[in-house]
Amino acid sequence: MSSADKAGNAGDKIKGKAKEAVGKAVGNERLQAEGRADQVEGDVKQAGEKAKDAAKDLFRD
Protein backbone atom coordinates (compact mmCIF):
# COMPACT_ATOMS: atom_id res chain seq x y z
CA MET A 1 0.00 0.00 0.00
CA SER A 2 1.46 3.33 -0.98
CA SER A 3 1.89 6.14 1.50
CA ALA A 4 -0.58 8.28 -0.43
CA ASP A 5 -3.22 5.56 -0.22
CA LYS A 6 -2.62 5.14 3.51
CA ALA A 7 -2.94 8.88 4.07
CA GLY A 8 -6.10 9.07 2.00
CA ASN A 9 -7.72 6.19 3.84
CA ALA A 10 -6.75 7.67 7.19
CA GLY A 11 -8.10 11.02 6.01
CA ASP A 12 -11.48 9.44 5.21
CA LYS A 13 -11.61 7.91 8.65
CA ILE A 14 -10.64 11.16 10.41
CA LYS A 15 -13.11 13.16 8.32
CA GLY A 16 -15.81 10.66 9.23
CA LYS A 17 -15.05 10.85 12.94
CA ALA A 18 -15.20 14.64 12.80
CA LYS A 19 -18.52 14.63 10.92
CA GLU A 20 -19.99 12.15 13.34
CA ALA A 21 -18.85 14.22 16.34
CA VAL A 22 -20.23 17.46 14.91
CA GLY A 23 -23.49 15.74 14.03
CA LYS A 24 -23.76 14.40 17.56
CA ALA A 25 -22.97 17.82 19.05
CA VAL A 26 -25.65 19.63 17.04
CA GLY A 27 -28.18 16.80 17.08
CA ASN A 28 -28.01 16.15 13.33
CA GLU A 29 -28.57 12.43 12.73
CA ARG A 30 -27.91 12.70 9.01
CA LEU A 31 -24.46 14.21 9.60
CA GLN A 32 -23.72 11.47 12.12
CA ALA A 33 -24.68 8.83 9.57
CA GLU A 34 -22.53 10.48 6.89
CA GLY A 35 -19.62 10.43 9.32
CA ARG A 36 -20.05 6.74 10.02
CA ALA A 37 -20.29 6.08 6.26
CA ASP A 38 -17.02 7.98 5.65
CA GLN A 39 -15.31 5.86 8.30
CA VAL A 40 -16.57 2.65 6.72
CA GLU A 41 -15.43 3.87 3.30
CA GLY A 42 -11.93 4.41 4.68
CA ASP A 43 -11.92 0.94 6.22
CA VAL A 44 -13.08 -0.69 2.98
CA LYS A 45 -10.45 1.13 0.93
CA GLN A 46 -7.79 0.10 3.41
CA ALA A 47 -8.90 -3.54 3.23
CA GLY A 48 -8.76 -3.41 -0.56
CA GLU A 49 -5.25 -2.02 -0.50
CA LYS A 50 -4.15 -4.74 1.93
CA ALA A 51 -5.65 -7.39 -0.37
CA LYS A 52 -3.72 -5.94 -3.32
CA ASP A 53 -0.51 -6.02 -1.29
CA ALA A 54 -1.15 -9.63 -0.28
CA ALA A 55 -1.75 -10.62 -3.91
CA LYS A 56 1.46 -8.89 -5.00
CA ASP A 57 3.40 -10.75 -2.30
CA LEU A 58 1.79 -14.06 -3.28
CA PHE A 59 2.65 -13.72 -6.97
CA ARG A 60 6.05 -12.13 -6.44
CA ASP A 61 7.65 -15.43 -5.36
Side-chain angles (χ1 to χ4, degrees), residues 1-2 6 45-61:
M1 182 178 340
S2 75
K6 286 181 185 177
K45 286 179 182 178
Q46 187 174 12
E49 291 297 325
K50 285 183 180 182
K52 281 193 235 177
D53 288 345
K56 285 180 187 176
D57 289 342
L58 180 65
F59 294 110
R60 187 178 306 167
D61 295 332

Side-chain angles (χ1 to χ4, degrees), residues 23-37:
K24 208 177 268 189
V26 298
N28 186 329
E29 291 181 17
R30 181 174 179 208
L31 192 56
Q32 287 178 22
E34 286 179 17
R36 286 190 295 271

Side-chain angles (χ1 to χ4, degrees), residues 8-23:
N9 297 341
D12 286 341
K13 292 168 76 172
I14 292 168
K15 178 179 73 171
K17 286 183 187 276
K19 270 189 186 179
E20 185 177 7
V22 169

